[in-house]
Amino acid sequence: MKESDHQHIIGELQSLIDDTQATLSRFEQEGMDKEMPNDYNKLLNILDDAIKQQREHTQAMLAMQRQ
């Protein structure tokens, strides 16, 4: 995978992270986190997974730059 591929994926993941955080905020504002805890937890899992994947791609890109 090229550095540009990592950068593209990092950007796409950032969009997913931003959208998920906005959805979580709306859930919390409307009290849906209490009414729909399973869905709220699914959103938290999506956010967690996206952050982990973004970190992995960032580390891979940085490793490429050091070579």
Side-chain angles (χ1 to χ4, degrees), residues 1-64:
M1 191 176 278
K2 295 185 280 184
E3 184 176 334
S4 61
D5 295 329
H6 286 294
Q7 288 175 334
H8 176 74
I9 293 169
I10 289 167
E12 292 294 324
L13 286 166
Q14 188 60 52
S15 294
L16 176 61
I17 290 166
D18 293 342
D19 291 346
T20 305
Q21 286 177 325
T23 302
L24 284 165
S25 291
R26 286 193 303 273
F27 253 67
E28 292 164 358
Q29 290 170 358
E30 299 295 324
M32 292 169 49
D33 55 327
K34 305 287 190 271
E35 293 177 31
M36 303 171 68
N38 290 336
D39 291 333
Y40 185 74
N41 284 329
K42 287 178 185 177
L43 286 169
L44 290 173
N45 288 334
I46 290 169
L47 180 62
D48 184 54
D49 189 46
I51 290 170
K52 287 176 183 175
Q53 287 182 47
Q54 189 182 50
R55 184 180 323 119
E56 290 170 6
H57 282 281
T58 300
Q59 289 174 340
M61 188 179 68
L62 291 172
M64 291 176 74

